[in-house]
Amino acid sequence: MLSPERLALPDYEYLAQRHVLTYMEDAVCQLLENKEDISQYGIARFFTEYFNSVCQGTHILFREFSFIQATPHNRASFLRAFWRCFRTVGKNGDLLTMREYHCLLQLLCPDFPLELTQKAARIVLMDDAMDCLMSFSDFLFAFQIQFYYSEFLESVAAIYQDLLSGKNPNTVIVPTSSSGQHRQRPTSGEASMLEGVEAPLFYQCLENLCDRHKYSCPPPALVKEVLSNVQRLTFYGFLVALSKHHINQALGALPDKGDLMHDPALDEELERLLLPFFRLAQIPGLVNSVTAGPEASCLPRTPPRVGSPWRPLHHARKVDAESDGSTEETDESET
C-alpha cells in the first residue's frame, strides 16, 4: 500500500525528493569499479545488497565525505552510525577533545573535514579553548545540528551578521573568517550591552529562509519555539538552544538524551558475537595451560576479528584483504 505522501506527488517529484537517482548513480559506479568481484555472485544480488544497505543506513560507512553529505538520509545514517559505534565513550563517562572526536569521525569517513568538527565543538565550548574536554552527549547533539543543517546554518550566520550590523550601528564588527560561523566576539562589557539581535526580527528572517531554502532546515514551528523565550540572542546562543531542544523527533537520527546510552538491538548483536569468546574464557584451566606452555609466545595477542554486520556485501573482499595484511604485519613486528 502506497503512503499518502507517495500518492500526493508525481513520480518524478517523489524520486527527486528521495534522491533515488543519487543512489542509482552510486550503485552503477560501484558496480563498474568492482565488476570482477561482483560477477561472481551476480548483478541482481549486488543491487539487492546495495539498496538493503541504503535502507539500513550502513551504506555510508567508510565512504567519502561528498557521498555522506549528499542526501538527508545519508546524513541521518552517518549520525546514527557515529552514535552506535562510539556510544561506549558516553557510557564510560569519558571526556574527549575536539581533535579526538575528529579522529573518531575519520574512522567512519577518512576525509571528514576538520572544519565541521571545529564548528560543532564551538557550539559546546563557546568562549572556552578548543582543546577543552567535552562529554559525548554534548558533542553529539551539537554535531547533529552542525552536520545535518550545515548549509542552512551558513545562511543563518549571514543573516545574523546583517542584522547585527543594521540594528546595532555602534557595535564594532570584527572581520569574519572564510566561514560564516567563525567570528571573534566583542569584549565582555560590549557583549552585555550590544551583542545579539532581536529575537522576533531574527525569527521573521529565519521563517522566510526556511520557506525558500533548498537544503534541510529545522521546522519553522521548532525555530519559533526556540526563540519565543528570549528578547535578544547571539548566533551561538541560537545554536546552543537548538542543540538542546528536542529536535531529534524532526531528524529521526538519534534517540532522546535520556535514551542515548541504550540500544538493546545493538547490545543483543554484540552479545551474540562475543558469546563464543566468553564461553572460551570460562573453560577451566584453559587460560593457564595456554599461557604456561612454551608455544604461548607464538599465539596471537589479540582475539580474531569478527566480520562487522555493518559492512556492505560489495566491500567484503577488499576489507578482508586489508585486515589480513595488517594482522600479518602486527605478528611479524611483535615476533
Side-chain angles (χ1 to χ4, degrees):
M1 182 177 179
L2 298 178
S3 64
E5 178 188 10
R6 173 65 185 88
L7 295 173
L9 291 175
D11 292 343
Y12 66 92
E13 288 189 14
Y14 180 82
L15 294 176
Q17 186 184 75
R18 298 296 180 179
H19 303 276
V20 174
L21 183 59
T22 300
Y23 296 118
M24 285 299 301
E25 290 176 348
D26 182 65
V28 171
C29 287
Q30 292 199 43
L31 177 64
L32 295 176
E33 291 175 0
N34 304 278
K35 56 184 178 181
E36 293 184 1
D37 294 337
I38 293 171
S39 62
Q40 299 180 11
Y41 53 84
I43 295 177
R45 183 181 174 187
F46 164 76
F47 277 105
T48 300
E49 293 288 342
Y50 178 87
F51 282 101
N52 280 339
S53 69
V54 171
C55 293
Q56 296 166 6
T58 60
H59 63 299
I60 45 78
L61 291 174
F62 319 119
R63 295 295 306 272
E64 62 279 5
F65 179 74
S66 59
F67 179 73
I68 286 175
Q69 69 164 355
T71 71
H73 175 66
N74 286 7
R75 298 186 187 199
S77 298
F78 186 78
L79 287 168
R80 192 178 301 111
F82 181 75
W83 160 61
R84 298 190 77 187
C85 288
F86 303 115
R87 69 191 177 101
T88 52
V89 173
K91 240 180 176 181
N92 298 334
D94 297 328
L95 303 177
L96 303 181
T97 64
M98 180 275 297
R99 290 280 182 178
E100 290 170 328
Y101 281 115
H102 184 65
C103 290
L104 296 182
L105 290 168
Q106 287 185 309
L107 291 176
L108 303 182
C109 174
D111 65 337
F112 196 91
L114 177 63
E115 183 184 16
L116 269 180
T117 313
Q118 291 172 331
K119 289 179 178 180
R122 178 58 63 199
I123 298 175
V124 179
L125 299 175
M126 298 294 286
D127 290 321
D128 294 332
M130 291 295 285
D131 58 351
C132 290
L133 299 174
M134 295 173 283
S135 70
F136 181 74
S137 60
D138 287 344
F139 176 80
L140 181 62
F141 285 113
F143 176 71
Q144 174 181 235
I145 297 298
Q146 183 59 62
F147 175 62
Y148 195 87
Y149 296 127
S150 57
E151 295 86 358
F152 173 76
L153 295 184
E154 288 293 332
S155 300
V156 173
I159 290 175
Y160 175 81
Q161 186 65 25
D162 291 342
L163 291 177
L164 190 65
S165 59
K167 296 297 179 179
N168 298 283
N170 295 326
T171 302
V172 178
I173 305 300
V174 181
T176 61
S177 64
S178 57
S179 65
Q181 292 179 233
H182 290 290
R183 49 173 57 86
Q184 299 178 14
R185 297 174 174 271
T187 63
S188 58
E190 293 172 334
S192 62
M193 294 294 293
L194 300 174
E195 188 177 354
V197 299
E198 296 179 2
L201 181 60
F202 191 42
Y203 170 70
Q204 291 179 10
C205 297
L206 297 190
E207 187 178 29
N208 294 332
L209 177 64
C210 291
D211 291 338
R212 68 177 189 271
H213 209 272
K214 64 178 181 179
Y215 298 102
S216 299
C217 59
L222 188 148
V223 175
K224 183 177 181 179
E225 185 177 346
V226 169
L227 299 176
S228 62
N229 297 324
V230 294
Q231 292 298 319
R232 300 181 67 85
L233 82 165
T234 64
F235 175 69
Y236 277 99
F238 171 69
L239 295 188
V240 170
L242 201 60
S243 66
K244 293 183 177 180
H245 198 273
H246 298 292
I247 199 171
N248 297 327
Q249 295 180 357
L251 294 182
L254 301 176
D256 291 334
K257 194 169 185 177
D259 300 325
L260 197 61
M261 305 309 163
H262 304 287
D263 188 357
L266 182 59
D267 290 338
E268 183 178 349
E269 180 67 13
L270 289 175
E271 183 178 353
R272 183 186 66 82
L273 292 173
L274 296 176
L275 186 60
F277 299 105
F278 294 150
R279 289 175 176 172
L280 188 65
Q282 292 173 357
I283 298 178
L286 177 61
V287 176
N288 294 334
S289 62
V290 169
T291 55
E295 68 279 3
S297 59
C298 300
L299 295 175
R301 293 176 173 83
T302 57
R305 297 184 179 183
V306 180
S308 171
W310 298 88
R311 187 176 60 193
L313 176 63
H314 47 277
H315 288 305
R317 292 174 60 108
K318 180 179 178 181
V319 175
D320 289 342
E322 294 175 354
S323 300
D324 294 340
S326 62
T327 303
E328 293 175 1
E329 293 175 1
T330 303
D331 293 343
E332 292 175 0
S333 62
E334 292 179 352
T335 304

